[in-house]
Amino acid sequence: MNKIYYISSCDTCRKIIKSLPKGNNLVFRDIKQDSLTPEELEEMYQFTGSYETLFSKKAQLYKSMNLKDKSLTEDDYKNYILEHYTFLSRPVFVIDNKVYIGGSQQNMLQVMKALE
C-alpha cells in the first residue's frame, strides 16, 4: 500500500500534494490529525535503517528544546518522532517498498517517477 505522511497545515506539504498526479492511489495520512503509530514508524525505519534520517532538524521544537546541543541516539530520534508529529521530516512517501523523505526537487522527481 503506497502512502504519504504529511501535515495538512504545512504549506510545503499542501503544495506537493497539489502537484501529485491524479489517480495516484496513495493513502493520505495527516499525522497532525491522526498520530503516527509505532508500526508505521517501524515500517519507514525498515526501509531507511535510520530514525535520524526520518527526523526533522528544521522543526521549531528541535530548536526551542536545544536538541542540537545534545548527543541524540537512534532511540532518542525514534521517541521524539513518536512523541510529536513535527519531528518527522515531511512529507514521507512509501511507494512500492521504497521511502522518499522530504520535498526537495530531486526527491519529488523520484516520487513522480515512482507514481507513473
Side-chain angles (χ1 to χ4, degrees):
M1 178 182 314
N2 296 335
K3 299 177 192 169
I4 175 176
Y5 297 90
Y6 71 101
I7 297 175
S8 58
S9 59
C10 169
D11 290 336
T12 301
C13 290
R14 286 197 301 253
K15 186 175 107 181
I16 287 170
I17 288 169
K18 280 184 181 181
S19 74
L20 294 173
K22 301 293 180 226
N24 54 50
N25 295 323
L26 287 170
V27 173
F28 288 75
R29 284 277 288 111
D30 182 351
I31 60 173
K32 184 175 182 178
Q33 300 300 321
D34 190 16
S35 297
L36 189 67
T37 67
E39 293 79 18
E40 289 170 325
L41 183 58
E42 186 61 29
E43 176 188 32
M44 291 180 223
Y45 175 79
Q46 293 303 316
F47 297 124
T48 63
S50 167
Y51 292 110
E52 184 176 6
T53 301
L54 296 161
F55 188 86
S56 174
K57 293 182 180 175
K58 296 179 182 177
Q60 289 180 355
L61 203 50
Y62 176 77
K63 295 170 185 152
S64 69
M65 293 173 68
N66 291 320
L67 295 178
K68 69 177 183 343
D69 299 329
K70 297 181 180 175
S71 196
L72 300 177
T73 66
E74 280 291 295
D75 280 342
D76 292 330
Y77 289 118
K78 175 184 178 180
N79 292 332
Y80 280 121
I81 292 170
L82 289 172
E83 184 179 302
H84 201 278
Y85 63 86
T86 196
F87 287 122
L88 182 69
S89 242
R90 57 203 181 270
V92 174
F93 291 87
V94 178
I95 303 171
D96 298 329
N97 296 321
K98 199 164 183 208
V99 171
Y100 305 88
I101 304 164
S104 71
Q105 186 176 3
Q106 180 183 357
N107 197 46
M108 290 314 302
L109 288 172
Q110 291 176 335
V111 166
M112 295 302 186
K113 188 170 186 168
L115 290 173
E116 287 178 350

